[in-house]
Amino acid sequence: MKLTIPTWLTLARIALIPVLVIVYYLDYRWTNVAATAIFVFASLTDWLDGWIARRYNQFSAFGAFLDPVADKLMVAVALVITVQYHHTIWMALWASVIIGREIAVSALREWMAELGQRAKVAVATVGKIKTIVQMVALGFLLYREPLLGLPIFLIGEWLLAAAAILTLWSGFEYARAAWPALRAEEAKGVDSRN
């Protein structure tokens, strides 16, 4: 297996996950800034690895598999440590919606791939918007402190709520796109039993 530059960036993003956790829990004044910088850097590598793969035709099956896994791991960890820091019902609810949707959509994509219909659940525009809102929200929540008089954490909370709503919307869009293939597969299973 040949490791491309985009795959190395994805592996670096996974390697940054324990670093994010350790830095976040260090007992220094600057840890929120460092944790935010790590998260923002990881988010930028997500964009960069996709850009490099498209620009220089450096696609690989392993990279295509690993990239969404790295994204989901980073987001899930950032959500967990954020909820642990600010454990309210709303934060837990938004985090549960986002993590639950990621698991459900991953399972749906795997199932559609087994049916040979993975293209029907490709990333849609609403999913890309959701990702941007989610990353900005998590960056704000990790930073926590007011900045230039702005209540960064409160803005992050509202953005996370918006990301959760977009998460549900994009999850519905994926399910709607997959529904005809799933119904056809179910009908095929019923016919084979008769």
Side-chain angles (χ1 to χ4, degrees), residues 11-146:
L11 290 168
R13 195 158 63 251
I14 292 171
L16 284 173
I17 292 170
V19 176
L20 172 67
V21 174
I22 291 166
V23 167
Y24 187 84
Y25 285 103
L26 288 175
D27 194 22
Y28 298 104
R29 286 184 51 107
W30 50 264
T31 57
N32 66 317
V33 176
T36 304
I38 291 166
F39 183 80
V40 168
F41 177 76
S43 298
L44 291 175
T45 65
D46 180 30
W47 170 81
L48 184 61
D49 67 23
W51 182 82
I52 291 172
R54 287 185 300 278
R55 176 82 164 94
Y56 297 102
N57 198 26
Q58 291 192 1
F59 295 100
S60 71
F62 180 63
F65 156 75
L66 196 61
D67 184 63
V69 171
D71 301 343
K72 287 163 184 42
L73 287 172
M74 181 61 81
V75 166
V77 168
L79 284 167
V80 167
I81 61 178
T82 299
V83 169
Q84 192 275 331
Y85 172 78
H86 188 73
H87 47 278
T88 66
I89 189 169
W90 293 110
M91 290 294 281
L93 179 64
W94 303 142
S96 299
V97 165
I98 292 169
I99 293 171
R101 179 266 190 199
E102 295 299 347
I103 293 168
V105 168
S106 294
L108 179 63
R109 283 187 177 138
E110 187 175 322
W111 191 12
M112 292 299 286
E114 283 185 27
L115 299 178
Q117 310 246 350
R118 184 173 175 88
K120 292 197 177 193
V121 286
V123 177
T125 302
V126 69
K128 291 178 182 179
I129 294 168
K130 179 267 309 177
T131 299
I132 292 168
V133 172
Q134 180 177 272
M135 295 307 190
V136 172
L138 287 169
F140 281 18
L141 292 169
L142 290 169
Y143 187 78
R144 297 189 310 256
E145 304 297 325

Side-chain angles (χ1 to χ4, degrees), residues 157-176:
E157 284 185 289
W158 282 102
L159 286 173
L160 192 66
I165 291 166
L166 289 168
T167 292
L168 291 173
W169 180 8
S170 66
F172 172 77
E173 290 296 322
Y174 285 121
R176 189 171 63 114

